[in-house]
Amino acid sequence: ERAIEAALTMAYPLIRGRAKILRDYQPTRAVWADEGRLAQVFLHLVLNAAQAIPDGAPSTNEIRVRVFEAADGRVCGEVSDTGVGIAPENLPRVFEPFFTTRASGVGTGLGRAVCHGLVTSFGGEITVESQKGKGTTFRVLLPVATEQSATPSPEGRKLKLSRPRRRRFLVVYDETLLARSIEMQLEDEHD
């Protein structure tokens, strides 16, 4: 829930002229995932949802965010929009790196691939459903944290205790909000 709210806050300048935000947060168990990286996933999904909706009619369009416990016991974070949708022939490729249906020079086609990588690194799954002209729904399914998963392995403790060498990064991205999200992920340990 906090990761989605952080994403909505960062994306609000783009959303406000396009759609109203509807929230449905149901009680769930905790998941074992990095909150900042999870916020990055949801920021990308929310920005994609906003960009799929034409500017200028926020009262007739919606971006819906939900958190609930799925039937299989995993926690599901869902982002749905009433945008243009994704053509059926493109659905199998949406998580491929560099695949985009946007005009040349608009987006790199890396966002959804990065989301897929982050979600799978948490032991989760990301899925998509869409109907051309009716909208799209992305679902992020994450395993529930157990006592065993909450106890770091000896390797995990070692990694947490050893501080990485501080490095300098230049973040260049054509979507300002995503660039800022990446910066926020790096700024605690790097310049």
Side-chain angles (χ1 to χ4, degrees):
E1 185 177 314
R2 289 191 321 231
I4 294 175
E5 282 301 313
L8 290 171
T9 299
M10 285 189 268
Y12 187 72
L14 179 64
I15 295 171
R16 73 172 168 233
R18 296 172 187 250
K20 57 187 167 196
I21 301 169
L22 302 176
R23 295 168 173 88
D24 178 10
Y25 298 139
Q26 297 175 18
T28 62
R29 293 178 283 168
V31 298
W32 192 248
D34 180 273
E35 187 174 327
R37 290 192 173 113
L38 200 52
Q40 182 181 349
V41 167
F42 284 109
L43 176 61
H44 181 79
L45 297 178
V46 167
L47 287 172
N48 268 5
Q51 291 167 344
I53 297 170
D55 199 15
S59 62
T60 59
N61 290 300
E62 299 174 351
I63 295 175
R64 292 176 307 282
V65 292
R66 292 179 60 206
V67 176
F68 60 96
E69 204 157 305
D72 64 3
R74 294 184 290 178
V75 173
C76 182
E78 188 175 86
V79 177
S80 300
D81 66 66
T82 56
V84 296
I86 301 169
E89 63 271 15
N90 292 330
L91 279 173
R93 300 188 62 203
V94 297
F95 298 113
E96 287 180 17
F98 303 108
F99 177 75
T100 183
T101 57
R102 293 186 188 157
S104 180
V106 180
T108 60
L110 284 174
R112 289 184 302 249
V114 169
C115 289
H116 184 270
L118 288 171
V119 171
T120 56
S121 77
F122 303 142
E125 176 186 10
I126 184 169
T127 64
V128 61
E129 289 179 13
S130 187
Q131 282 189 303
K132 194 76 174 147
K134 295 193 177 194
T136 302
T137 298
F138 281 91
R139 286 184 189 89
V140 174
L141 295 147
L142 297 169
V144 172
T146 62
E147 287 298 320
Q148 185 176 8
S149 68
T151 306
S153 67
E155 295 82 15
R157 280 193 293 274
K158 183 178 178 188
L159 289 175
K160 285 184 180 178
L161 293 175
S162 62
R163 294 209 41 104
R165 197 172 103 214
R166 198 159 182 89
R167 299 190 186 271
R168 179 175 288 168
F169 290 93
L170 172 64
V171 177
V172 179
Y173 202 84
D174 63 342
E175 294 182 29
T176 306
L177 292 172
L178 281 177
R180 182 63 190 128
S181 172
I182 294 167
E183 283 180 44
M184 289 169 53
Q185 296 299 311
L186 298 171
E187 68 188 4
D188 286 343
E189 296 179 10
H190 303 288
D191 297 316

